């Protein structure tokens, strides 16, 4: 068969001859189909391709499109892991020595439960998102309410609620502004205006303490609880409701201390309000200091009493302790407060650190806020009181 497939249109082409021979016996429909497919393939090869590629069928599109895959569930053993403290497997034993000091001994022991556990590392401070929420392991029920206690794994409130600092060996200053909770406007202003590095002390006789505590903690402040102690000239000179008196029994004073402790949470320690008489009475002060130490709290002496015995008891009890270097606002004038702050800076540069104490007066709050911003630009680090108290332990 001879066919000119490339002859132009209009010219004679030789017609192909079609063979009419019968198919051999044995060739059925399969052979015919094969011949038809071969002819069709030959025809397609000679047919020009369309300019636009054929669109895939909807089923093909769905098959080609990547389908989002659900996240694989975590392994079964990770779903049941418990978070444990690094000392959760220890037996904690506290022994009171003949001199009154307390020695804490940690002995290894088997942990409860079986299987793996997530072990946390030691830390200072609390996640900011949980700063206003107390750690239930650091609270115990008492007749007066929930009061601080050292956790079963040895974690102390001072470590849980203390404000972290850089750890650099530079000039450090801690400033404590007390009297919060007594005035609603004054408390609100102090929390709003004072930089978060300033430690705030709440008066145990104040109002709405839990509310103010939450605001202060969310703002980043470390907080203390101020306890009124008997001053010279009492009762003519009266610190207020719940004052601890040297003439009262130890049980009565501890009851009042625990009532004050239950009024608020998330604080790192106790600070005296007045107390020139109480702080010099060893018999009255000892059970109070011993109870504070046993609960993992610091004690801050504001430095107003030169004869205070708090430092001696703190050393004997091996507890976190600090004493104020300067009262910053004994004169409520901006220039006088600035002068005291500058003096505090000189003390810190000479000794490495210094502690200033003030009250939540409007003049004090605004002046301290302005001075702190300038001091930080000079390389001064403002730290929470716990950073300095832990070093004296």
């Amino acid at each position: 068969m001879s066919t000119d497939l490339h002859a132009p249109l209009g010219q004679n082409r030789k017609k192909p001859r079609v063979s009419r021979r019968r198919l051999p016996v044995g060739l059925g429909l399969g052979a015919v189909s094969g011949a038809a497919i071969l002819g069709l393939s030959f025809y397609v090869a000679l047919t020009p391709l369309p300019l636009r590629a054929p669109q895939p069928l909807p089923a093909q599109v769905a098959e080609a499109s990547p389908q989002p895959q659900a996240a694989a569930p975590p392994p079964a053993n990770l779903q049941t892991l418990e978070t444990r403290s690094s000392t959760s497997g220890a037996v904690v034993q506290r022994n009171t020595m003949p001199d009154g000091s307390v020695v804490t001994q940690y002995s290894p022991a088997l942990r409860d439960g079986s299987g793996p556990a997530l072990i946390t590392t030691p830390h200072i401070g609390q996640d900011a998102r949980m700063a206003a929420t107390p750690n239930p392991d650091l609270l115990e029920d008492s007749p007066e309410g929930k009061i601080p206690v050292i956790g079963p794994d040895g974690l102390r409130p001072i470590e849980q609620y203390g404000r972290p600092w850089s750890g650099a060996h530079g000039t450090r200053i801690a400033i404590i502004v007390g009297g919060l909770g007594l005035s609603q406007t004054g408390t609100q202003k102090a929390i709003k205006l004072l930089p978060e590095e300033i430690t705030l002390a709440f008066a145990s006789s104040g109002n709405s303490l839990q509310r103010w505590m939450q605001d202060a903690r969310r703002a980043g402040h470390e907080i203390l609880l101020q306890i009124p102690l008997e001053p010279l000239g009492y009762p003519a000179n009266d610190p207020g409701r719940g004052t601890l008196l040297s003439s009262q029994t130890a049980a009565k004073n501890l009851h009042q201390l625990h009532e004050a402790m239950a009024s608020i949470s998330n604080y790192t320690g106790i600070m005296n309000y007045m107390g020139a008489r109480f702080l010099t009475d060893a018999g009255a002060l000892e059970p109070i200091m011993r109870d504070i130490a046993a609960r993992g709290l610091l004690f801050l002496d504001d430095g107003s009493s030169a004869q205070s015995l708090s430092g001696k008891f703190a050393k004997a009890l091996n507890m976190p302790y600090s004493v104020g270097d300067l009262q910053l606002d004994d004169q409520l004038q901006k220039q006088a407060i600035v002068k005291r702050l500058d003096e505090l800076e000189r003390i810190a540069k000479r000794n490495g650190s210094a502690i200033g104490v003030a009250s939540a007066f409007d003049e004090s709050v605004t002046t301290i806020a302005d001075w702190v911003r300038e001091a930080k630009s000079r390389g001064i680090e403002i730290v929470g009181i716990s950073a300095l108290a832990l070093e004296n332990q």
Side-chain angles (χ1 to χ4, degrees):
M1 179 177 62
S2 174
T3 304
D4 189 2
L5 297 177
H6 300 284
L9 294 176
Q11 295 185 9
N12 294 329
R13 294 182 181 179
K14 293 181 179 180
K15 294 183 179 179
R17 290 184 304 170
V18 179
S19 175
R20 299 185 179 275
R21 290 180 301 174
R22 294 179 176 270
L23 293 173
V25 177
L27 291 179
L29 294 177
V32 176
S33 301
I37 293 174
L38 180 61
L40 181 62
S41 301
F42 185 71
Y43 173 78
V44 170
L46 298 177
T47 304
L49 292 175
L51 296 178
R52 186 166 60 94
Q55 298 297 315
L57 296 175
Q60 294 174 319
V61 174
E63 182 178 357
S65 301
Q67 297 296 324
Q69 297 181 355
N77 61 335
L78 290 182
Q79 296 177 357
T80 58
L81 288 183
E82 294 185 38
T83 302
R84 303 286 187 87
S85 169
S86 56
T87 56
S88 61
V91 175
V92 183
Q93 183 179 1
R94 295 177 179 84
N95 302 313
T96 302
M97 308 307 291
D99 62 354
S101 61
V102 178
V103 177
T104 304
Q105 180 179 357
Y106 297 88
S107 303
L110 294 177
R111 289 188 171 90
D112 296 333
S114 60
L118 296 175
I119 305 300
T120 59
T121 56
H123 69 284
I124 297 293
Q126 191 177 26
D127 190 311
R129 295 168 295 181
M130 299 294 292
T133 303
N135 184 342
D137 292 337
L138 303 185
L139 292 173
E140 71 170 357
D141 292 322
S142 73
E144 296 80 15
K146 292 185 179 295
I147 56 179
V149 68
I150 298 176
D153 57 358
L155 180 65
R156 299 179 295 177
I158 186 176
E159 295 157 344
Q160 175 75 51
Y161 306 123
R163 179 178 172 82
W165 62 290
S166 70
H169 297 286
T171 302
R172 293 167 298 157
I173 290 178
I175 298 178
I176 298 87
V177 175
L180 274 76
L182 297 176
S183 165
Q184 178 173 341
T185 56
T187 301
Q188 189 174 24
K189 185 174 182 179
I191 295 174
K192 180 179 179 181
L193 294 183
L194 287 171
E196 61 183 354
E197 297 89 350
I198 301 298
T199 301
L200 304 180
F202 287 83
S204 60
S205 58
N207 300 311
S208 305
L209 294 186
Q210 280 295 113
R211 169 198 170 190
W212 296 123
M213 175 278 291
Q214 293 173 357
D215 289 347
R217 293 290 292 150
R218 291 190 185 106
H221 296 281
E222 181 177 325
I223 65 173
L224 296 174
L225 177 63
Q226 271 186 302
I227 303 294
L229 305 180
E230 181 184 357
L232 296 174
Y234 181 85
N237 188 15
D238 190 355
R241 185 181 75 249
T243 300
L244 275 58
L245 304 174
S246 57
S247 58
Q248 291 181 160
T249 64
K252 176 65 173 177
N253 282 330
L254 285 172
H255 170 70
Q256 293 183 184
L257 174 65
H258 293 169
E259 280 187 331
M261 285 181 170
S263 66
I264 195 174
S265 61
N266 293 44
Y267 50 90
T268 57
I270 303 298
M271 175 184 178
N272 66 294
Y273 174 60
M274 303 179 72
R277 174 73 180 88
F278 193 90
L279 291 171
T280 59
D281 189 312
L285 183 60
E286 179 181 359
I288 299 302
M289 294 292 289
R290 192 178 298 279
D291 188 81
I292 294 172
R295 299 186 179 283
L297 300 168
L298 68 86
F299 185 79
L300 172 65
D301 190 321
D302 66 4
S304 59
S305 175
Q307 305 299 321
S308 174
L309 301 176
S310 63
K312 294 182 179 179
F313 281 111
K315 184 177 181 179
L317 296 169
N318 191 33
M319 65 184 294
Y321 169 84
S322 285
V323 59
D325 292 293
L326 284 178
Q327 178 70 34
L328 301 176
D329 55 357
D330 47 0
Q331 298 182 50
L332 278 180
Q333 298 175 356
K334 180 176 180 178
Q335 292 303 320
I337 297 173
V338 169
K339 185 177 180 180
R340 299 290 276 178
L341 287 165
D342 291 340
E343 184 179 353
L344 186 69
E345 182 176 345
R346 288 192 292 270
I347 295 173
K349 289 181 176 179
R350 183 172 65 248
N351 300 334
S353 63
I355 299 171
V357 179
S359 298
F361 300 118
D362 288 347
E363 297 86 348
S364 305
V365 168
T366 54
T367 304
I368 290 173
D370 293 339
W371 184 88
V372 164
R373 283 188 283 269
E374 296 176 0
K376 288 194 291 186
S377 67
R378 296 192 296 271
I380 305 296
E381 183 174 9
I382 310 299
V383 299
I385 186 59
S386 61
L388 302 183
L390 284 168
E391 290 186 348
N392 296 329
Q393 186 177 3

